[in-house]
Amino acid sequence: RIIPLQTSTIAYVFSEDKNNYLVTFDGQKYIVDSTLDVIINELDPEYFFRISRSCIVQMKAIDTIIKQMGGRLRITSHPEPPFEMTVSRSRVDDFLKWSNISVMRSPKAPEAAKRSQTAKVTYLFPAIPLNQLQPPSSCCNSDSLDSA
């Protein structure tokens, strides 16, 4: 069965157990036949970014971005995914350029790193609230996204 969807309704696409799934903002989950390579080429790069080999996310789905040890970024999104949404190290710089944000190092990071080894803290840096993200002026205009 083929179900047409507006790209503006897509929150993220992910791969799991050799299947690819598309998740909409209302939480609906669909199996898709296409590979993530094909899907990312069909989506508008101003709104969608491939954060890892197994996940593509839309800017509007991102709630917070948390810098982790090792250079990765963890994303919290809506709807909440059934996996930890992480930007791979090799894609972090491109992701930050795409999202037009910079992550500043916390002045207490060395102490936090020591604590994280015993307290199981998974990140060093504070979350960046979505309302502080500054997308490029040509990106993510809600009028143009809704009309897509």
Side-chain angles (χ1 to χ4, degrees):
R1 189 168 95 168
I2 297 174
I3 301 171
L5 294 171
Q6 293 285 328
T7 57
S8 61
T9 65
I10 301 170
Y12 51 87
V13 183
F14 70 98
S15 180
E16 182 178 73
D17 298 328
K18 299 186 181 184
N19 290 313
N20 296 317
Y21 301 93
L22 181 149
V23 179
T24 60
F25 283 105
D26 63 3
Q28 294 294 313
K29 183 176 168 182
Y30 302 91
I31 294 178
V32 291
D33 289 333
S34 301
T35 65
L36 265 58
D37 287 334
V38 170
I39 293 168
I40 193 64
N41 288 322
E42 293 176 353
L43 296 171
D44 188 337
E46 286 192 38
Y47 306 113
F48 293 89
F49 189 86
R50 188 165 185 179
I51 61 170
S52 66
R53 287 183 298 170
S54 61
C55 186
I56 299 167
V57 67
Q58 185 185 149
M59 173 85 71
K60 288 174 68 176
I62 298 170
D63 290 327
T64 59
I65 301 166
I66 301 167
K67 180 118 182 180
Q68 295 182 302
M69 291 191 324
R72 292 189 203 138
L73 301 175
R74 184 166 53 97
I75 294 173
T76 60
S77 67
H78 62 279
E80 187 175 337
F83 58 93
E84 186 172 290
M85 194 176 280
T86 305
V87 181
S88 64
R89 281 185 287 259
S90 63
R91 299 173 196 248
V92 166
D93 289 340
D94 290 336
F95 175 80
L96 293 173
K97 288 176 190 171
W98 170 78
S99 61
N100 197 31
I101 62 169
S102 61
V103 179
M104 302 301 288
R105 185 178 177 122
S106 168
K108 296 182 181 179
E111 295 83 22
K114 291 175 189 172
R115 285 193 306 271
S116 71
Q117 293 172 356
T118 57
K120 304 283 186 197
V121 174
T122 58
Y123 58 91
L124 286 176
F125 303 86
I128 302 168
L130 183 62
N131 63 4
Q132 291 181 10
L133 294 177
Q134 300 295 320
S137 58
S138 64
C139 176
C140 304
N141 177 334
S142 61
D143 295 333
S144 64
L145 187 58
D146 291 337
S147 65

